[in-house]
Amino acid sequence: MLAEQLRVRGPGHRDTLIARSNVARWLGLAGDPAAAAAATRAVLADQTRILGPGHADTLTSCHNLIDWTGQTGDAAGAASAARDLLGDQLRILGADDPVTLATRGALAHWTGTAGDPAGAAVIAERVLADRVRVCGPDHPDTLSSRQSLAHWTGRAGNPGAAAAALRELLADRLRVLGPDHPDVATTRYNLAHWLGAAADPADAGTVLAEQLRVLGPDRPRIFTILANVATSRADAGDLTGAITALAELLPRMTEVLGAGHADTVTTGHNLAYLRRKAGAAAAGEQQ
């Protein structure tokens, strides 16, 4: 496709630049964000020169470059690029343009990923307020912004508030999207995670039980959250319950994920640690 565009239309034609942008995107989706970032930088330079810095295609490539930069491991660089792009978008597109709002969401994401979850939560809260005003409370982008805010609230050290926000979001996503939508599953997973982090493993287990009913017991992500919830039972004082839950879970993880999978290995280590802890506690009681 790209070779044909180059032959027929030439390297400076907009359709050729779009084809190059698509190739860059496909490189990233194929698992090579470094190559995608390099290809996006190259086409961005030509778009800026030929189309101008304020052209919609140029701004789209700037936005794509933020994600590919972050996915290469440079979250701080991605956050910095998002700030730079946001200034241009506010000037050219306006604060309420969907592309501008998307960049603000990306700024929250990469700010948090770079190690500032409290700062990310502040940005996400402002984005959510504007999403509600511009798009309405039930728009998918508004619901996604609520998910983002809950995530960074939890990462900033307030798992209880994150769980409360996600419980409300789950009800609204069920109402708007229906029980089988993948975003509903994501919200349940995250709600269970933050309930466990807030030392409420019983409630987390109830949420996961519903997800197990909908999706089945052998989804990899289910295993990760089940393990986290089980471990949180120990933090809440139920050491025996945590050991029992992990002992039941580990064989299933080994069968489905494999013995060498990182989550399986971590669960095995956590189980061994809790068993040693229980043994030490029992020995202390006998003295």
Side-chain angles (χ1 to χ4, degrees):
M1 176 69 176
L2 178 56
E4 185 68 10
Q5 291 284 5
L6 284 166
R7 185 184 66 81
V8 175
R9 298 188 181 276
H13 195 279
R14 186 189 175 204
D15 289 347
T16 303
L17 297 173
I18 290 173
R20 289 172 60 194
S21 296
N22 289 336
V23 169
R25 178 173 176 270
W26 294 330
L27 286 168
L29 293 176
D32 193 347
T40 301
R41 286 190 190 95
V43 72
L44 177 58
D46 289 340
Q47 286 172 325
T48 302
R49 175 176 55 83
I50 297 168
L51 302 177
H55 193 279
D57 293 354
T58 306
L59 295 176
T60 296
S61 290
C62 288
H63 184 86
N64 292 341
L65 183 57
I66 292 168
D67 285 335
W68 300 131
T69 299
Q71 289 188 39
T72 62
D74 185 8
S80 178
R83 289 188 191 93
D84 292 342
L85 174 60
L86 189 56
D88 291 336
Q89 289 177 330
L90 288 169
R91 176 174 51 84
I92 297 168
L93 302 176
D96 293 344
D97 188 271
V99 178
T100 305
L101 290 170
T103 298
R104 291 172 62 195
L107 175 58
H109 173 79
W110 292 116
T111 296
T113 305
D116 184 9
V122 170
I123 297 169
E125 186 172 20
R126 293 170 181 165
V127 172
L128 174 58
D130 287 339
R131 287 280 194 200
V132 172
R133 177 177 57 81
V134 174
C135 304
D138 290 341
H139 191 280
D141 290 344
T142 303
L143 299 177
S144 294
S145 292
R146 289 171 63 185
Q147 180 95 26
S148 174
L149 176 57
H151 173 77
W152 294 119
T153 298
R155 289 286 300 275
N158 195 342
L166 287 168
R167 195 184 297 280
E168 294 178 359
L169 176 60
L170 178 60
D172 288 337
R173 276 187 157 163
L174 282 168
R175 174 177 56 81
V176 174
L177 303 175
D180 297 328
H181 195 282
D183 288 350
V184 172
T186 297
T187 304
R188 277 205 187 95
Y189 286 129
N190 292 335
L191 174 57
H193 170 79
W194 290 117
L195 284 169
D200 190 355
D203 209 358
T206 300
V207 172
L208 280 177
E210 176 62 17
Q211 194 62 26
L212 286 166
R213 185 189 67 78
V214 174
L215 293 181
D218 293 335
R219 295 293 181 96
R221 198 173 178 188
I222 282 280
F223 289 131
T224 302
I225 297 178
L226 282 171
N228 290 339
V229 170
T231 303
S232 73
R233 294 179 68 172
D235 297 333
D238 185 9
L239 187 58
T240 300
I243 292 171
T244 299
L246 288 176
E248 293 175 352
L249 181 61
L250 185 58
R252 287 170 53 202
M253 294 180 74
T254 302
E255 178 183 357
V256 176
L257 302 180
H261 191 280
D263 291 346
T264 306
V265 172
T266 298
T267 299
H269 288 166
N270 289 341
L271 177 58
Y273 167 76
L274 293 179
R275 281 173 168 164
R276 290 195 301 270
K277 186 176 180 179
E285 291 175 356
Q286 293 175 359
Q287 292 179 356

